[in-house]
Amino acid sequence: MKKHLLFLGPPGAGKGTQASVISEENCYLHLSTGELLRQEVEMKTSLGLQVKEVINSGKLVDDELVLAIVKKNLTSNKNGWILDGYPRNVSQANSLNLVLRELNQPLEVVFYLNLDEEILIERLLNRGRKDDNEKTIRTRLKIYDEITKPLINYYQNQNILEYIDGDRDLKIISDNIRQKIGL
Ligand code: AMP
């Protein structure tokens, strides 16, 4: 059974939802950098104050800051872990490789969840998060296209990419994922 997983895909594709379902039922650690960053903003920590504007604009937070968060949280969870929203660019993916080598826990599957852009926008507008207004959504989708999308090829070249059609019922998607990790 595969237990070191990554969810890749545009904002609104359902990465967080699926990562929650799969991590809860297997007691995997669910590491969402977006969620951790939002908590810092909420708690008004110095890191939170530092990243608040960037998050609300839809741009990416500095690589070093995010890497520090990942290192702090990605401990050697025995059961496994799911990365959600990290890495977001090739430099982060290279850093992640190094961290995982140190932990001796190689990434086993990268699930690429995808959806049409129109559906994504509609979903994000309905989600109602603070960084889900129209302007921010456009910025986030553009950054995804330009900066994060190359990771699809990056992981395809490592032969660990699995495509998941995100335009289906939640339960069907979860079943699809379970099957691919050998549950
Ligand atoms: P998410 O919840 O994954 O959509 O992330 C929300 C916001 O947090 C993003 O729009 C970025 O501003 C920031 N963020 C989350 N993960 C990362 C990351 N890996 N690198 C840089 N910024 C990130």
Side-chain angles (χ1 to χ4, degrees):
M1 187 174 126
K2 309 245 165 85
K3 53 182 196 176
H4 299 134
L5 319 172
L6 169 66
F7 282 73
L8 184 67
K15 302 185 296 293
T17 307
Q18 292 299 333
S20 291
V21 170
I22 302 293
S23 61
E24 264 171 42
E25 64 193 19
N26 295 291
C27 295
Y28 288 178
L29 168 76
H30 175 189
L31 205 164
S32 158
T33 45
E35 194 53 50
L36 291 168
L37 288 165
R38 278 189 293 280
Q39 280 171 19
E40 298 281 340
V41 173
E42 195 79 4
M43 295 189 297
K44 297 192 166 71
T45 63
S46 62
L47 173 63
L49 295 172
Q50 216 176 320
V51 300
K52 186 177 174 183
E53 268 186 38
V54 182
I55 291 180
N56 289 339
S57 75
K59 293 187 183 144
L60 293 184
V61 171
D62 178 74
D63 287 349
E64 292 301 318
L65 286 184
V66 185
L67 179 61
I69 290 183
V70 171
K71 275 189 176 160
K72 194 169 125 191
N73 288 277
L74 192 67
T75 43
S76 314
N77 185 302
K78 253 202 317 215
N79 295 316
W81 39 255
I82 299 181
L83 294 174
D84 160 18
Y86 185 88
R88 285 268 227 291
N89 59 35
V90 171
S91 158
Q92 292 184 2
N94 288 331
S95 301
L96 176 65
N97 278 344
L98 295 177
V99 172
L100 295 183
R101 205 172 297 161
E102 268 174 36
L103 285 175
N104 203 14
Q105 297 185 342
L107 191 55
E108 291 165 296
V109 190
V110 175
F111 290 107
Y112 167 42
L113 259 96
N114 203 17
L115 262 183
D116 282 347
E117 186 159 308
E118 276 167 44
I119 308 177
L120 289 175
I121 294 175
E122 199 183 298
R123 274 207 196 177
L124 290 168
L125 283 172
N126 286 329
R127 193 164 68 172
R129 229 166 62 186
K130 209 173 185 175
D131 58 347
D132 282 340
N133 62 70
E134 206 161 335
K135 184 158 173 258
T136 305
I137 289 171
R138 279 190 205 291
T139 306
R140 287 164 64 203
L141 288 171
K142 186 160 178 273
I143 287 183
Y144 170 75
D145 264 340
E146 290 173 2
I147 300 176
T148 308
K149 239 182 175 172
L151 292 180
I152 296 167
N153 253 328
Y154 182 98
Y155 288 118
Q156 207 159 30
N157 290 338
Q158 296 183 17
N159 280 321
I160 52 173
L161 195 83
E162 290 280 1
Y163 176 74
I164 303 282
D165 176 4
D167 192 16
R168 294 176 298 169
D169 190 78
L170 283 181
K171 290 206 177 86
I172 294 182
I173 299 177
S174 310
D175 275 343
N176 195 187
I177 294 170
R178 288 187 193 104
Q179 179 215 339
K180 292 205 190 291
I181 58 180
L183 281 170

